Amino acid sequence: MAGGIFSPLGSCSELEKANCHPLVCLLCHEPYQHPCLLDCYHNFCASCLRGRASDGRLRCPLCGHPSVVRGGTGLPPVDRLLQFLVDSSADGEEDVQCANCDRRCAKAELDTMYFCNTCGQPLCAPCREETHRAKMFTRHEIVSLSKRTKDIHKKCPLHEEPYIMFSTEKKSMLCINCFRDMQGESRAHCIDIETAYMQGCQRLDQAVMAVKELQTSTREAIVLLKAMIEEVRNSASEEEAAINSLFGRMQEQLSERKKTLLKAVQSQHEEKEKAFKEQLAHLASLLPTLQVHLVTCSAFLSSANKAEFLDLGYQLMERLQRIVKLPHRLRPAQTSKINSEYRAEFARCLEPLLMLSPRRSVVGSAGGIGPGITGTNMLPGSQCSKTLMVPGCPPDGDKMSTGPMVRKPTMHRYISTKVLLAEGRETPFAEHCRNYENTYRMLQMEIQGLKDQVQELHRDLTKHHSLIKTEIMGEILQKSLQMDVQIAAHYSAVEMMRSVFEEVWEETYQRVANEQEIYEAQLHDLLQLRQENSCLTTITKQIAPYVRSIAKVKERLEPR
């Protein structure tokens, strides 16, 4: 049979279903004809493997392991052991004829036949009892036919002498002449046939035991792998169901939160639009009034004489001053930015489903601040609600201002710190928080004082049009710069503690989660203070030219 007509076996499960005979080829399902042994120790008929070799390699049809083939035949070597078993099996299946009475024994009666190793002939049970019970046959070796010794007197093909020795070095049998021709050192490795047979049986028993252990382990591994395959299948089904379920719940939560956020955006839009329209209507009604009074002043100055001017001019000036002093809303009362915090809201609604921890990365390896807040998020309403919202006043580019800031309310950090200190644990982080709160409270009080001074000066300059001393502006600017240095130094000191705290945080996550949150809030509060101080500095610099110009005008008017 040509090997090309056979397709490779699908899997080892086909062998289990087939319950194949050990002397039957796995490809043609016939008794082996010239069985060949591959490198993977699988056997196949030579005719079944013929034509399968390619580039000196033959891939096993069962496991796919490549075997190296040599010679022009393109076939691996013949398995002599398996060929012996096949031949022995074929001999056992033939009809046996008794050498004494010529009685033929069928296959079913082979167990009743015997074999005389001394005579080299088969015997039936009656002949064994009748003929080989004589005294002359007492030394004959009679065994069951299935256990007969074939070619017990096999001779050496070189010297035609019977084998008497076995060389454990060369693993071959020796006759007397072969033994005499051997070197003296090699003779030490020769033993008699019976001893060699006994030692071989013992070693074979050991090898069989090892193979049986491997067989048991292999069967256990097969059972385990089958169970794991089933478990993988069940786990995949459960995981798919869990993913679909979670995805569905996430879609529902996101859809509900989307509706809520859209309503919030629409509400903010309506409120801001209403406020801007009311302010616009007020300013639209104010503009004609101003235009009329300007035209009135121009006409009065051109038509009135001195007496009429002195009689009505102060009345006109008083009216104009009252118009100017009226509370006109010239600046927008709020920003036009609509902020729904949709990213945080979406993440918050998914946290219960994903069981996420509120950990956030604050400062990266390069000192940048983690995502979450920018300069536009600094809106009033927190503990530092008196921040002046002046565009274009972020601090100078340095380590504290690189990257967006993490939005962590000061009040939340303050409460978390109080809870941590109330636990009474004397830890390095608790001591750090205690020192931090004292320093932060001092810096916050100084920043608040500077904010009050700048707001008062700004109010006096824009509303009351009062004169401001240049020395005051210089002092405020100097204090603001000093505060910037102090905040930067404190920020660097807190930042240097990161490596110390990260070693502690890696030990227990549950306890450290709260500490990390407080730490992030501390850095954020310092950034917020510095940003507020930077805005104060910018405002002070913007006001300074007006103060200096007013001071110069005052110097010119004083002599007069």
Side-chain angles (χ1 to χ4, degrees):
M1 283 183 253
I5 65 174
F6 298 105
S7 60
L9 295 177
S11 63
C12 294
S13 61
E14 297 181 4
L15 301 179
E16 299 177 1
K17 296 178 180 179
N19 194 16
C20 57
H21 193 276
L23 300 182
V24 173
C25 178
L26 298 174
L27 289 179
C28 63
H29 304 293
E30 297 290 339
Y32 284 110
Q33 297 292 332
H34 304 289
C36 297
L37 179 65
L38 301 180
D39 293 346
C40 56
Y41 296 99
H42 288 138
N43 296 93
F44 301 96
C45 295
S47 58
C48 295
L49 295 178
R50 188 171 289 111
R52 289 178 176 266
S54 175
D55 297 331
R57 291 183 177 274
L58 192 152
R59 191 171 296 275
C60 176
L62 181 61
C63 65
H65 182 78
S67 300
V68 178
V69 293
R70 297 178 178 86
T73 60
L75 294 173
V78 175
D79 190 352
R80 293 178 55 199
L81 175 61
L82 187 59
Q83 185 65 53
F84 170 78
L85 296 178
V86 171
D87 294 342
S88 300
S89 174
D91 293 342
E93 292 179 356
E94 297 177 354
D95 292 342
V96 180
Q97 184 178 6
C98 179
N100 186 40
C101 64
D102 296 334
R103 176 191 172 196
R104 288 186 175 276
C105 182
K107 296 180 181 179
E109 300 176 353
L110 289 178
D111 294 338
T112 62
M113 294 291 292
Y114 296 90
F115 190 84
C116 179
N117 289 328
T118 305
C119 299
Q121 295 177 345
L123 296 172
C124 63
C127 293
R128 175 180 180 275
E129 297 294 335
E130 294 175 2
T131 62
H132 271 62
R133 289 296 183 183
K135 187 174 181 180
M136 62 180 298
F137 298 112
T138 56
R139 295 189 177 183
H140 284 213
E141 182 182 5
I142 301 175
V143 297
S144 176
L145 182 63
S146 59
K147 297 181 180 180
R148 74 186 186 278
T149 303
K150 297 183 62 177
D151 298 332
I152 189 65
H153 302 296
K154 193 172 184 180
K155 298 180 180 180
C156 173
L158 182 61
H159 302 104
E160 294 296 330
E161 293 290 337
Y163 289 123
I164 60 172
M165 305 291 286
F166 180 80
S167 173
T168 58
E169 181 182 16
K170 297 182 179 180
K171 302 293 187 298
S172 61
M173 292 185 293
L174 307 172
C175 66
I176 185 62
N177 295 327
C178 294
F179 180 75
R180 291 173 180 172
D181 295 341
M182 292 182 67
Q183 298 289 336
E185 296 83 2
S186 300
R187 291 182 180 181
H189 300 282
C190 295
I191 56 178
D192 62 279
I193 295 293
E194 189 67 24
T195 303
Y197 175 73
M198 296 300 297
Q199 292 181 357
C201 290
Q202 292 177 358
R203 293 183 180 181
L204 181 61
D205 289 339
Q206 295 175 359
V208 169
M209 290 300 297
V211 173
K212 286 184 177 180
E213 292 179 0
L214 178 61
Q215 182 186 41
T216 302
S217 301
T218 303
R219 288 175 177 173
E220 293 176 353
I222 290 175
V223 173
L224 177 61
L225 289 175
K226 287 182 177 180
M228 292 187 68
I229 291 174
E230 185 65 24
E231 185 177 350
V232 165
R233 187 181 297 110
N234 297 335
S235 178
S237 301
E238 294 175 359
E239 195 72 11
E240 291 176 359
I243 291 174
N244 293 329
S245 176
L246 178 60
F247 183 71
R249 286 183 291 164
M250 289 173 62
Q251 283 185 317
E252 294 176 1
Q253 292 287 343
L254 290 175
S255 178
E256 294 177 0
R257 192 57 58 94
K258 172 188 172 183
K259 295 178 181 178
T260 305
L261 290 174
L262 291 179
K263 290 181 180 179
V265 170
Q266 186 64 25
S267 176
Q268 291 186 34
H269 169 254
E270 293 175 356
E271 292 178 0
K272 289 180 179 291
E273 187 177 23
K274 180 180 179 181
F276 288 149
K277 286 183 177 180
E278 290 178 355
Q279 188 175 359
L280 180 61
H282 169 73
L283 297 179
S285 63
L286 175 62
L287 192 59
T289 303
L290 300 178
Q291 185 69 22
V292 168
H293 282 79
L294 290 176
V295 173
T296 301
C297 290
S298 178
F300 177 74
L301 290 174
S302 62
S303 60
N305 54 27
K306 294 180 180 180
E308 292 173 342
F309 180 84
L310 294 176
D311 183 25
L312 301 175
Y314 285 96
Q315 182 180 355
L316 178 59
M317 284 186 285
E318 184 178 356
R319 181 185 298 181
L320 294 178
Q321 290 177 357
R322 289 178 179 176
I323 292 176
V324 172
K325 290 182 180 181
L326 288 175
H328 303 300
R329 293 178 294 171
L330 300 178
R331 295 181 178 274
Q334 53 186 331
T335 64
S336 60
K337 179 68 175 178
I338 295 180
N339 187 10
S340 62
E341 297 289 345
Y342 60 91
R343 288 188 177 88
E345 291 296 329
F346 282 140
R348 194 174 296 113
C349 77
L350 293 180
E351 279 183 5
L353 296 177
L354 300 178
M355 293 180 292
L356 296 176
S357 170
R359 295 180 65 182
R360 297 186 181 94
S361 176
V362 186
V363 181
S365 58
I369 311 300
I373 206 171
T374 60
T376 58
N377 298 118
M378 305 291 291
L379 297 177
S382 63
Q383 190 173 357
C384 302
S385 60
K386 296 184 180 180
T387 305
L388 295 174
M389 299 304 296
V390 178
C393 61
D396 296 334
D398 57 2
K399 181 179 179 181
M400 292 181 63
S401 62
T402 56
M405 295 181 294
V406 174
R407 191 173 194 272
K408 189 66 63 176
T410 302
M411 185 57 64
H412 177 72
R413 191 265 309 163
Y414 179 77
I415 296 174
S416 299
T417 304
K418 285 293 185 183
V419 173
L420 178 64
L421 296 178
E423 293 177 357
R425 295 181 180 178
E426 293 299 327
T427 61
F429 189 81
E431 183 65 21
H432 159 75
C433 290
R434 195 176 292 109
N435 298 333
Y436 173 87
E437 288 299 322
N438 296 332
T439 306
Y440 178 80
R441 196 176 297 110
M442 180 188 66
L443 294 175
Q444 189 181 34
M445 290 175 61
E446 294 183 8
I447 289 291
Q448 187 63 41
L450 290 176
K451 287 200 297 183
D452 294 340
Q453 294 181 26
V454 173
Q455 286 181 343
E456 184 177 0
L457 293 176
H458 187 269
R459 183 173 58 253
D460 293 340
L461 183 63
T462 57
K463 187 174 182 179
H464 302 294
H465 302 282
S466 59
L467 299 177
I468 303 173
K469 294 182 179 180
T470 310
E471 294 80 10
I472 299 178
M473 295 301 302
E475 293 176 1
I476 295 176
L477 184 59
Q478 185 66 24
K479 289 182 180 179
S480 177
L481 296 176
Q482 292 176 359
M483 288 301 303
D484 186 80
V485 175
Q486 293 181 15
I487 296 173
H490 190 48
Y491 183 91
S492 300
V494 175
E495 179 65 24
M496 290 176 62
M497 298 295 294
R498 174 178 291 274
S499 59
V500 178
F501 295 142
E502 282 183 345
E503 294 179 358
V504 180
W505 293 337
E506 290 176 357
E507 298 176 358
T508 52
Y509 168 74
Q510 295 297 332
R511 176 178 56 83
V512 168
N514 190 33
E515 296 180 359
Q516 285 182 306
E517 194 172 11
I518 296 172
Y519 176 78
E520 294 168 4
Q522 292 172 351
L523 294 179
H524 165 70
D525 293 339
L526 289 175
L527 293 174
Q528 188 175 12
L529 279 180
R530 190 178 188 190
Q531 189 172 13
E532 294 175 1
N533 182 68
S534 178
C535 292
L536 294 176
T537 304
T538 303
I539 294 173
T540 305
K541 291 179 180 179
Q542 292 176 353
I543 295 177
Y546 297 98
V547 175
R548 286 193 292 268
S549 63
I550 293 175
K552 292 179 180 179
V553 172
K554 183 179 179 182
E555 291 176 358
R556 294 176 184 174
L557 295 178
E558 280 180 354
R560 299 180 183 178

